[in-house]
Amino acid sequence: ESLHSSIGLLGISAGSLLLAVHFYSLPRAAPLIPSTALGVLLLILSSLLAYTGVRRSLRNASLFLSLCLTISVFWCGYGVVFILGGQGVLNDTGDFRNAMVPGLVTFTLALLIIAAVGFLCGEVILAMIASAVSLASAHEVAMLYSTAFGSSAVACNYMVICLVGGYFALGRILYFLSKEKIALPGTDLAKKKTREQIQSTSGSMNRFAVTGLILNMLSASVFGCRLLGVTGQLFIGQVPWLWAAGVYQIGVCILSYRAMDVLMATFFGFTSILKFAGGYCLLYPIWQPEEPSFPTPFLVVFSILFVVLALFLTLKSPVDGLYLLFYVAYCIALACRPKGFFEGGPQGVDVAIFVASAVMTLIHLYNVKASAKIPTGRGAMKALLARSSFLKLREGADLHTPYLGYSKYADAEVLGYACSVLASFAVTRTGDPQAPLATVVIPWVVVAGGILKLLGGSVAFARGKTLESSAFILYAVMWIIWGLTRYGGLYGTTRSFHTAVGIIAFMLFNGFIVFCTLFLNIAWFFYSLTFFLIAISFLLDAIHALPAGYDIAATLIFGLVSFYCFLSALFNSTFEGSCLPMGRPIVQLSGVGGGTTKCLHLPARKASSVKRIADILKNGGTCGIPTDTVYVLVAACNRPDAVEKAHQSKRQAQDRPMSLWISSLKQLEPAKHLFTPLLWDFMEAAWPSPISLVVPRGEWVDFLGMRDSAKYVGTPQSIAIRIPDCSVTTHLIDLVGPIVVTSANPTGEADTTHHNQVYAKLGNKVDAVLCDGPSPENIASTVVDCTKIDSGNIGFFRVGIIPKSQVLQILEQVQKK
């Protein structure tokens, strides 16, 4: 439990020691640690801190997570600036100061907020570290603007961090050497863990949102400082801050999907695009002296997407929804000014975003950590919508559960469709062949259409959506290659043929996807079909045969279809019902997609799922469950209506009667006197296992409360009974009582070895399926005839996973006993 906390705090101490040595030796002619070496070491430590912060986040360590990720992104950008300085890129007077100040200002305020919340919530060690780094950054800003401030003050602050880290290390060493008897104040992580578990909100809060908001502060600071005159120019030295923020923002987007927060994950994906675009614009003067221009249609569409996202986020938290309106204003400001990030209007909005992000950081961090909350309007919209009969919010533990089992990620299709909209409208701007980089298109197409769509495809694959993930990944590769090729000036007349061949290959792959979407839904069919228009546009452009206006028409059609899918995914993930349906499959095959609207799908790894299945069975439902062999269809034996339903749902044949399962022989203990000693001992020796024993029917059946269900189980002469060797199944039987079992497939078909097959075969005939992926075995149980066991003979109705020899060996051992 203490490993990642110890590594994180000692990593911060190690980096602080390096910086303390650097600033103490700064007045010397030659610094003790060269700038390039210092930058590389800081990058290594930043990656270590990012790892420890994310790993510890799984245990609700919200303040530690925020501190580690904040210092990680700080040292990432800081280290790259040191490398640029060491390599002679920042040679002009004031370059180093202009490069450093935006980041230092941001992290001075961000770490001060973390320190304040830490002191308020009793996290003294973390608060001391955050306040010391904040003071060091503030002193460094003062030092860069006035020689009266020496570097020793900065070094002293970093030494304080080293001392705190040393104290923490000493406390952990004493804790282990004394076998947990001696614990210095603030170093006993076991108590912290208990307190955090009590304060945990059970996943209702996105703990990664704080880091994402701080990254928004960082990118806004770069341009806001220029407007306020804090920095003298926008240039390559500030790119490390923007691109570090962009990379980490994509990471926060992924982690937000892990936190099951679709709306904030989509928002952070959107803001990462702006960060990469800002960095691209600052790099552009390296190739051309003039500033780049912006495609207006793209930014207008971007602002519309932000408006839609803000409306939906307002339903969850009105304060967060209002915060997104700053980005709506930002996109409009960029669209109105031809030079975009370099103009005063967008920079003024950046200043507002910086202030708003700082306030939101304080609110989110305090609400995640403290027991008393700052009101954000959560619940207000829920109460308002509760009165509506038209719109009803989706809620519950299964809100983000996929149809086919269990996933660690929420659905990323909203972001995938939005990126299609952005990429398609970005290419409506025709680039200048003589200066292809002069129009800012590459960041929109490559980051939005490529990187983020790859992210969406990966998350879709993790959720079991193989077709959707294949389409997203294919389209992402196409956007990346085409965006770099067309708007990077990488192809000319000699390369046109090879480009055309590659595009035709993509079109063939997309043809297969279009065919598959016939069996998915109407929206996906048109989404994949209209991408053909985009691919044809790319092909005609590559061979220089593009008709005037065709590319704009194709991108508009694809963009509008993508926008509908974006709205549909948002509505369906937020509200119950189908406000904007994706449609039914164009070609409906028998059994495909069974149960996607009626049949519950519950992950077997959760105890709450097993309890819910038990409740369904007690109320007369039938369910598909995993076992130690293949999936089976079950019903509670004290519910005759459920047993009859299970019997009819799979057209049970008379020569294949249903069997009876128990969880322990204790359930038969009251009727032990009705079994012969040999049969009882054989049952004790054989179970739990995938061996079904067919025993004579008798009065013992009445002790299990079967009543009218008995006529559906076994034959008039015998009943097959078993104790499965599966903890999930036996726990379920403990909750429900004895259950009646039959195979989860229509009579005559192959055994069901995956929960997907249960959906396909019986999805609309069962009430729920307990999903556990592939079966541990592909062979059913062995069925042994024990009706004549007292004469020393047993027979075999079916030889399954347990061979005859093993069963006979068990009988021989029992007989000897």
Side-chain angles (χ1 to χ4, degrees):
E1 288 296 322
S2 66
L3 176 63
H4 296 106
S5 295
S6 302
I7 291 175
L9 292 177
L10 294 178
I12 294 173
S13 302
S16 300
L17 182 60
L18 288 173
L19 291 169
V21 171
H22 169 75
F23 283 105
Y24 268 125
S25 64
L26 199 59
R28 298 172 52 181
L32 198 60
I33 305 176
S35 293
T36 303
L38 179 62
V40 172
L41 290 172
L42 287 176
L43 286 175
I44 294 172
L45 288 171
S46 73
S47 61
L48 178 67
L49 290 178
Y51 169 75
T52 55
V54 172
R55 292 291 296 176
R56 268 299 278 164
S57 70
L58 302 177
R59 300 178 178 88
N60 295 320
S62 53
L63 196 68
F64 179 82
L65 157 72
S66 301
L67 178 63
C68 279
L69 291 184
T70 301
I71 295 181
S72 175
V73 70
F74 179 26
W75 284 354
C76 179
Y78 201 47
V80 175
V81 173
F82 271 118
I83 292 173
L84 293 178
Q87 295 301 307
V89 178
L90 309 177
N91 280 332
D92 295 342
T93 305
D95 275 0
F96 191 76
R97 182 185 67 192
N98 288 332
M100 280 292 190
V101 167
L104 293 173
V105 168
T106 299
F107 291 105
T108 297
L109 180 57
L111 289 164
L112 186 62
I113 293 171
I114 293 175
V117 174
F119 281 122
L120 289 172
C121 298
E123 296 281 1
V124 178
I125 288 183
L126 299 181
M128 288 180 65
I129 291 174
S131 57
V133 179
S134 176
L135 287 172
S137 302
H139 277 108
E140 189 174 353
V141 173
M143 181 191 75
L144 290 171
Y145 279 96
S146 175
T147 54
F149 287 90
S151 59
S152 298
V154 183
C156 285
N157 284 300
Y158 283 118
M159 282 306 299
V160 169
I161 301 170
C162 295
L163 293 174
V164 174
Y167 169 80
F168 179 81
L170 177 63
R172 296 310 299 165
I173 291 171
L174 288 175
Y175 186 77
F176 285 114
L177 292 179
S178 65
K179 296 182 179 180
E180 304 182 4
K181 294 179 181 178
I182 301 175
L184 296 179
T187 63
D188 189 356
L189 298 177
K191 291 182 179 179
K192 288 185 181 181
K193 178 192 171 189
T194 304
R195 185 167 65 249
E196 283 169 351
Q197 285 179 340
I198 293 172
Q199 293 178 351
S200 172
T201 55
S202 303
S204 60
M205 297 287 287
N206 180 2
R207 299 186 302 277
F208 304 101
V210 172
T211 306
L213 294 168
I214 291 173
L215 295 173
N216 290 343
M217 290 172 60
L218 178 57
S219 58
S221 174
V222 171
F223 300 106
C225 284
R226 177 68 189 92
L227 177 70
L228 299 175
V230 178
T231 55
Q233 61 175 335
L234 294 171
F235 72 121
I236 188 175
Q238 293 144 356
V239 173
W241 299 118
L242 291 170
W243 281 8
V247 171
Y248 276 77
Q249 196 79 293
I250 291 178
V252 170
C253 174
I254 297 170
L255 293 170
S256 295
Y257 282 119
R258 280 293 296 265
M260 301 297 169
D261 192 347
V262 174
L263 297 178
M264 289 303 285
T266 307
F267 167 62
F268 290 136
F270 285 176
T271 54
S272 69
I273 301 171
L274 292 171
K275 292 170 176 57
F276 282 109
Y280 172 86
C281 291
L282 299 191
L283 279 178
Y284 181 75
I286 296 176
W287 301 295
Q288 298 289 338
E290 70 274 5
E291 295 164 342
S293 59
F294 282 69
T296 301
F298 170 86
L299 293 165
V300 172
V301 171
F302 209 174
S303 66
I304 294 173
L305 293 179
F306 268 119
V307 168
V308 174
L309 193 62
L311 290 174
F312 279 88
L313 197 56
T314 302
L315 300 176
K316 175 184 174 184
S317 171
V319 171
D320 290 336
L322 291 173
Y323 172 65
L324 259 67
L325 295 181
F326 284 95
Y327 279 91
V328 176
Y330 192 47
C331 291
I332 293 173
L334 288 172
C336 293
R337 310 301 299 179
K339 298 304 179 184
F341 296 109
F342 297 93
E343 303 259 7
Q347 291 173 2
V349 182
D350 271 309
V351 175
I353 289 175
F354 181 87
V355 176
S357 299
V359 174
M360 293 298 296
T361 300
L362 176 61
I363 293 173
H364 273 263
L365 186 59
Y366 186 80
N367 285 352
V368 167
K369 188 64 185 171
S371 54
K373 310 294 183 186
I374 298 173
T376 59
R378 282 179 179 269
M381 296 302 297
K382 185 191 297 185
L384 186 64
L385 286 173
R387 304 176 183 178
S388 170
S389 58
F390 178 65
L391 294 175
K392 186 177 180 182
L393 287 174
R394 291 186 61 193
E395 295 179 294
D398 301 323
L399 178 61
H400 299 288
T401 305
Y403 283 121
L404 302 180
Y406 172 81
S407 175
K408 294 180 180 179
Y409 297 89
D411 204 334
E413 284 194 3
V414 173
L415 181 61
Y417 297 134
C419 289
S420 294
V421 177
L422 294 174
S424 61
F425 279 94
V427 298
T428 56
R429 177 70 175 265
T430 305
D432 183 1
Q434 303 302 320
L437 299 175
T439 305
V440 182
V441 176
I442 287 181
W444 315 126
V445 175
V446 173
V447 178
I451 297 173
L452 291 180
K453 193 174 277 291
L454 280 174
L455 187 156
S458 302
V459 172
F461 184 80
R463 290 177 60 83
K465 295 185 174 183
T466 308
L467 176 59
E468 293 93 324
S469 68
S470 301
F472 280 147
I473 292 171
L474 176 70
Y475 298 167
V477 173
M478 187 70 183
W479 284 117
I480 290 174
I481 294 175
W482 180 249
L484 292 174
T485 302
R486 181 178 184 183
Y487 294 96
L490 298 181
Y491 81 86
T493 306
T494 55
R495 298 196 184 103
S496 293
F497 173 76
H498 306 288
T499 305
V501 171
I503 294 171
I504 291 172
F506 272 105
M507 292 174 68
L508 291 175
F509 279 114
N510 191 51
F512 174 71
I513 288 175
V514 171
F515 172 75
C516 292
T517 55
L518 289 170
F519 310 98
L520 188 58
N521 55 56
I522 295 173
W524 256 99
F525 172 74
F526 282 106
Y527 177 70
S528 57
L529 185 65
T530 51
F531 190 79
F532 255 124
L533 302 177
I534 299 287
I536 292 171
S537 171
F538 293 164
L539 177 63
L540 294 176
D541 186 64
I543 61 176
H544 307 291
L546 183 65
Y550 174 83
D551 55 341
I552 294 177
T555 52
L556 284 175
I557 294 172
F558 178 69
L560 291 174
V561 172
S562 302
F563 185 69
Y564 175 84
C565 293
F566 166 74
L567 290 177
S568 178
L570 267 178
F571 267 99
N572 294 332
S573 64
T574 306
F575 300 108
E576 292 184 359
S578 299
C579 303
L580 288 175
M582 296 288 281
R584 297 186 61 82
I586 296 175
V587 179
Q588 180 71 53
L589 297 181
S590 175
V592 176
T596 55
T597 56
K598 296 180 181 179
C599 180
L600 285 175
H601 43 281
L602 303 169
R605 67 184 68 193
K606 291 186 176 182
S608 58
S609 300
V610 180
K611 184 178 182 301
R612 194 166 175 187
I613 291 288
D615 292 337
I616 293 172
L617 293 175
K618 289 177 183 177
N619 292 325
T622 59
C623 301
I625 65 169
T627 68
D628 49 350
T629 54
V630 295
Y631 278 78
V632 295
L633 179 64
V634 302
C637 70
N638 59 359
R639 293 298 301 251
D641 53 338
V643 176
E644 182 180 4
K645 178 182 174 184
H647 187 274
Q648 294 176 351
S649 65
K650 57 160 288 179
R651 304 187 298 275
Q652 187 74 20
Q654 294 301 319
D655 59 341
R656 295 186 183 181
M658 302 173 78
S659 60
L660 178 68
W661 284 11
I662 57 177
S663 60
S664 169
L665 274 177
K666 290 181 180 179
Q667 292 174 319
L668 289 177
E669 198 76 44
K672 182 177 179 180
H673 63 282
L674 299 174
F675 294 91
T676 63
L678 180 60
L679 177 57
W680 187 269
D681 291 342
F682 185 54
M683 290 191 294
E684 277 189 327
W687 294 332
S689 70
I691 300 176
S692 295
L693 303 183
V694 178
V695 300
R697 198 182 194 101
E699 295 179 5
W700 61 269
V701 174
D702 299 332
F703 287 87
L704 299 177
M706 294 183 68
R707 295 176 297 183
D708 296 337
S709 305
K711 62 183 178 182
Y712 298 107
V713 183
T715 66
Q717 296 78 31
S718 62
I719 293 179
I721 187 169
R722 175 155 93 91
I723 299 178
D725 190 13
C726 175
S727 57
V728 171
T729 311
T730 53
H731 177 53
L732 177 65
I733 299 171
D734 284 335
L735 296 174
V736 178
I739 57 175
V740 174
V741 178
T742 184
S743 57
N745 54 271
T747 303
E749 294 190 12
D751 290 321
T752 305
T753 57
H754 197 283
H755 59 252
N756 294 5
Q757 296 176 6
V758 181
Y759 284 111
K761 295 177 180 180
L762 300 171
N764 58 345
K765 298 178 181 178
V766 296
D767 298 293
V769 176
L770 195 60
C771 304
D772 196 33
S775 298
E777 304 292 343
N778 293 329
I779 306 173
S781 63
T782 297
V783 183
V784 182
D785 181 7
C786 297
T787 54
K788 299 178 181 179
I789 191 172
D790 290 326
S791 63
N793 296 319
I794 59 173
F796 291 86
F797 289 110
R798 179 178 68 197
V799 178
I801 187 172
I802 303 298
K804 272 187 183 182
S805 58
Q806 187 173 336
V807 177
L808 293 172
Q809 185 179 4
I810 294 172
L811 177 62
E812 184 180 350
Q813 291 173 351
V814 170
Q815 288 173 333
K816 287 181 180 179
K817 177 183 172 183

